[in-house]
Amino acid sequence: ESNDEEDEDGDASCDGNSQLEDWENDARDRNGSNIKTLSNEEKESAALAIAELIFDNGETGNLTSLDISCNNIGDQNMHFIFEALKSNGTLTSLSCGGNNMWVNGSLSLLAETLSARNAIEHLSLKKERLGDDGAMLFAKMITNSRLTSLDLSCSEMGTRGAKQIFS
């Protein structure tokens, strides 16, 4: 029996036992059918296609919001997407948690990219295992950005990380 409840988006709430692997293994669409897990090659192709979309949107395109959360794209593949963000001036909302990113990998690149960019106002890293080190990484970024909304729910952030974010 599961004690998971759903939040307003229909996502499983954080109960401390939820892990991305559990979600991925039990992933079902709204009709209850199993969702196919992508191969590494498919994940790379998807990341490259998303990066191309962001890059092609450029400084004057119409893309203002992007939600690629909970796709388990992987740390290396997220690099492609975050590199493309450097050339995009219109994206104001980015939801990218649940993609198995590493603090010393693509998350560092994301924080660096967002510190240098002024467009992003909303960032969601929900269900990304940031821990205290990742939270502190984004705490530094907050002061150098236009960020007005930051979702770090289910990020395994502890007291040390929370103190950095809210100090």
Side-chain angles (χ1 to χ4, degrees):
E1 178 176 286
S2 173
N3 62 358
D4 285 347
E5 297 177 17
E6 290 187 354
D7 63 16
E8 65 273 1
D9 297 327
D11 297 324
S13 64
C14 300
D15 65 2
N17 296 322
S18 296
Q19 298 293 327
L20 182 58
E21 291 84 11
D22 294 337
W23 176 87
E24 185 178 54
N25 291 336
D26 297 330
R28 300 193 184 281
D29 65 17
R30 295 191 190 277
N31 297 321
S33 301
N34 285 338
I35 297 174
K36 179 183 179 288
T37 302
L38 298 178
S39 69
N40 288 336
E41 293 80 21
E42 290 170 318
K43 289 176 185 179
E44 182 177 325
S45 293
L48 288 169
I50 293 166
E52 184 177 351
L53 170 74
I54 293 169
F55 184 78
D56 288 348
N57 193 63
E59 291 292 327
T60 59
N62 295 325
L63 183 66
T64 60
S65 180
L66 179 63
D67 185 342
I68 55 171
S69 54
C70 293
N71 282 295
N72 196 21
I73 292 172
D75 188 71
Q76 184 176 1
N77 294 325
M78 291 302 289
H79 274 269
F80 301 130
I81 295 168
F82 297 152
E83 282 292 335
L85 276 177
K86 292 178 179 179
S87 67
N88 182 283
T90 61
L91 197 64
T92 59
S93 177
L94 177 62
S95 296
C96 59
N99 279 300
N100 199 22
M101 295 180 277
W102 303 334
V103 171
N104 294 325
S106 61
L107 287 171
S108 292
L109 177 60
L110 175 61
E112 174 188 317
T113 300
L114 295 182
S115 292
R117 291 180 32 80
N118 291 325
I120 297 286
E121 296 174 3
H122 167 76
L123 175 63
S124 175
L125 293 168
K126 182 177 182 176
K127 297 185 180 179
E128 195 59 54
R129 294 185 185 124
L130 298 176
D132 285 336
D133 291 338
M136 292 189 328
L137 180 72
F138 285 93
K140 294 175 187 173
M141 186 259 327
I142 289 171
T143 59
N144 298 329
S145 70
R146 289 184 55 201
L147 205 62
T148 59
S149 171
L150 178 62
D151 182 356
L152 298 177
S153 55
C154 302
S155 65
E156 300 181 10
M157 175 177 47
T159 304
R160 187 174 57 119
K163 284 181 179 179
Q164 286 294 315
I165 292 226
F166 298 108
S167 64

